Amino acid sequence: MTPLAAAANENLAQISNYLIYSSMAVYTLAFFAHIAEWTFGSRSKVARTAAALTGAKEAQDAPAVQVRAKGGGTAVLDQPKVVTRSAAGTRDVPDGPGAGGGTVQGDLYGRIAISLTALAFLIEAGGVLARAMSVQRAPWGNMYEFSITFSTVAVGTYLALLALKKNVRWLGLILVTSVLLDLGIAVKILYTDSDQLVPALHSYWLWIHVSTAIFCGAVFYIGAAGAVLYLFRDAYEGRLANGRTAGKFYASVMERLPSAASLDKFSYRINAAVFPLWTFTIIAGAIWAGDAWGRYWNWDPKEVWSFVTWVAYACYLHARATAGWKGRKAAYLALFAFACWIWNYYGVNMFLNGLHSYSGV
């Protein structure tokens, strides 16, 4: 490499760092905008929703209504049936009004938060691209590069779901918070200077295997976030069903989320949709291992934990499709599966030695 080319690559690496830090600054602004959306959204709207929820069963149990008809007689009108969309065995609870509380002010802050999140996503994506140009390869050679790409894909998936008119704006605050945490760890702990790949990684399979692994992890994260919120919302709905009350702040947050049934379905569909791609990721990794090391399976820690993660998600999907395992049990299993993925990324790379020890830290 000529000195001029080396200087150009160094400049691109510096630009990448600048863009990553700039995206963190914009994500921080988005974080405060999401906080404002939750804080200044109408509480009265939430209170009316809560009253409607708690009064639904009372309305069903109420006696028929008598009204006076023409001619002096009376007519008996049955209570209107409550139309539900939830599965059998679940509570008949509608979705909440969202983080903005269904008000103009809350919606304004929400739209500002989404706009800032989209801007931060574009800046971060530019940082990932500049990093790739600085090393003239796929930017996935170490944990730092993997981390900045992971958060970019996670935010991109969230924005894509919004563009498809999916009801996921409630995920914004959690997503931005975790992205800031991911980027903070990346730049302070995992950062590695731009460098060339180890010989084993010089393959077109890098683009196939690692890109699908990153995408799967980002989508699994969104599914895990839905499972966590499901557990909180389900506990809250159970509290109301048992006649107990909740604190004002807790009730305000919970009532704006989708119902437990919706969150359960959301998490299941997200995980089910990406599971075949995770299966392909493991198969692609095995093929790459055969090309690089002469064996398709070496019982390397990364390979073992990738398979453990696959088994955990397979058990979750099977359990979720079984009527007796819907709900909290399935949610716990989904979170265990994602914990396996997290350990496979951080724990295996940083604490275990193997053929996949490319963390760079």
Side-chain angles (χ1 to χ4, degrees), residues 28 73 79 84 108-109 118 133 202 224 258 319 323 350:
T28 301
Q79 289 290 332
T84 63
L108 173 62
Y109 285 114
M133 294 173 63
H202 283 287
M350 300 182 70

Side-chain angles (χ1 to χ4, degrees), residues 137-192:
R137 57 167 172 78
W140 310 315
N142 51 61
M143 288 183 67
Y144 168 74
E145 296 173 354
F146 194 101
S147 293
I148 61 175
T149 307
F150 169 82
S151 56
T152 303
V153 174
V155 176
T157 303
Y158 168 69
L159 294 174
L161 290 173
L162 286 175
L164 293 173
K165 307 299 182 182
K166 303 299 182 181
N167 177 25
V168 295
R169 207 165 88 177
W170 44 269
L171 186 61
L173 178 58
I174 297 175
L175 177 67
V176 170
T177 302
S178 57
V179 165
L180 283 171
L181 178 62
D182 173 75
L183 291 178
I185 294 174
V187 300
K188 293 299 183 182
I189 300 176
L190 304 178
Y191 181 78
T192 304

Side-chain angles (χ1 to χ4, degrees), residues 9-358:
N9 291 342
E10 181 63 26
N11 290 335
L12 285 171
Q14 293 178 358
I15 292 173
S16 172
N17 295 340
Y18 173 77
L19 290 174
I20 295 299
Y21 277 103
S22 298
S23 71
M24 293 177 67
V26 181
Y27 277 129
T28 301
L29 295 177
F31 169 81
F32 286 115
H34 280 295
I35 289 291
E37 179 185 16
W38 283 95
T39 302
F40 297 107
S42 171
R43 302 298 174 87
S44 60
K45 172 77 173 183
V46 172
R48 290 196 298 271
T49 303
L53 296 181
T54 55
K57 189 175 186 303
E58 296 175 2
Q60 285 181 301
D61 297 337
V65 178
Q66 290 187 349
V67 297
R68 188 175 300 278
K70 292 182 178 180
T74 60
V76 178
L77 299 180
D78 294 330
Q79 289 290 332
K81 295 182 179 180
V82 178
V83 179
T84 63
R85 48 157 178 67
S86 56
T90 60
R91 303 181 189 92
D92 301 326
V93 179
D95 294 336
T103 64
V104 174
Q105 185 180 27
D107 183 66
L108 173 62
Y109 285 114
R111 287 187 283 111
I112 292 174
I114 296 301
S115 299
L116 289 171
T117 301
L119 176 61
F121 162 75
L122 294 176
I123 296 174
E124 186 182 10
V128 174
L129 178 61
R131 178 78 175 196
M133 294 173 63
S134 71
V135 293
Q136 299 180 359
R137 57 167 172 78
W140 310 315
N142 51 61
M143 288 183 67
Y144 168 74
E145 296 173 354
F146 194 101
S147 293
I148 61 175
T149 307
F150 169 82
S151 56
T152 303
V153 174
V155 176
T157 303
Y158 168 69
L159 294 174
L161 290 173
L162 286 175
L164 293 173
K165 307 299 182 182
K166 303 299 182 181
N167 177 25
V168 295
R169 207 165 88 177
W170 44 269
L171 186 61
L173 178 58
I174 297 175
L175 177 67
V176 170
T177 302
S178 57
V179 165
L180 283 171
L181 178 62
D182 173 75
L183 291 178
I185 294 174
V187 300
K188 293 299 183 182
I189 300 176
L190 304 178
Y191 181 78
T192 304
D193 290 330
S194 299
D195 200 358
Q196 294 304 310
L197 296 173
V198 296
L201 294 182
H202 283 287
S203 172
Y204 62 88
W205 283 105
L206 174 68
W207 293 92
I208 301 173
H209 172 64
V210 182
S211 63
T212 55
I214 293 173
F215 180 78
C216 289
V219 178
F220 280 147
Y221 161 75
I222 293 177
V228 170
L229 292 177
Y230 161 78
L231 291 174
F232 282 102
R233 174 75 189 205
D234 182 67
Y236 175 74
E237 291 180 8
R239 179 189 292 267
L240 292 184
N242 293 329
R244 294 181 293 168
T245 59
K248 183 177 180 181
F249 174 78
Y250 181 61
S252 174
V253 173
M254 290 296 104
E255 288 296 346
R256 301 191 209 188
L257 293 174
S259 67
S262 294
L263 289 170
D264 181 42
K265 185 183 300 182
F266 170 79
S267 180
Y268 170 67
R269 288 180 173 177
I270 287 291
N271 289 322
V274 79
F275 180 74
L277 188 59
W278 180 247
T279 304
F280 170 78
T281 300
I282 295 177
I283 295 173
I287 296 174
W288 188 8
D291 291 343
W293 302 314
R295 292 179 60 187
Y296 293 106
W297 194 265
N298 296 283
W299 295 104
D300 182 72
K302 177 70 70 173
E303 296 172 345
V304 171
W305 278 98
S306 295
F307 180 68
V308 170
T309 303
W310 183 90
V311 171
Y313 273 109
C315 291
Y316 160 73
L317 294 176
H318 175 73
R320 177 59 178 74
T322 304
W325 271 83
K326 290 181 180 179
R328 300 185 71 85
K329 292 180 181 179
Y332 288 133
L333 190 51
L335 293 178
F336 171 76
F338 184 69
C340 290
W341 191 93
I342 289 293
W343 168 255
N344 189 30
Y345 173 53
Y346 285 106
V348 172
N349 285 1
M350 300 182 70
F351 304 116
L352 301 179
N353 292 322
L355 295 172
H356 291 79
S357 299
Y358 307 130

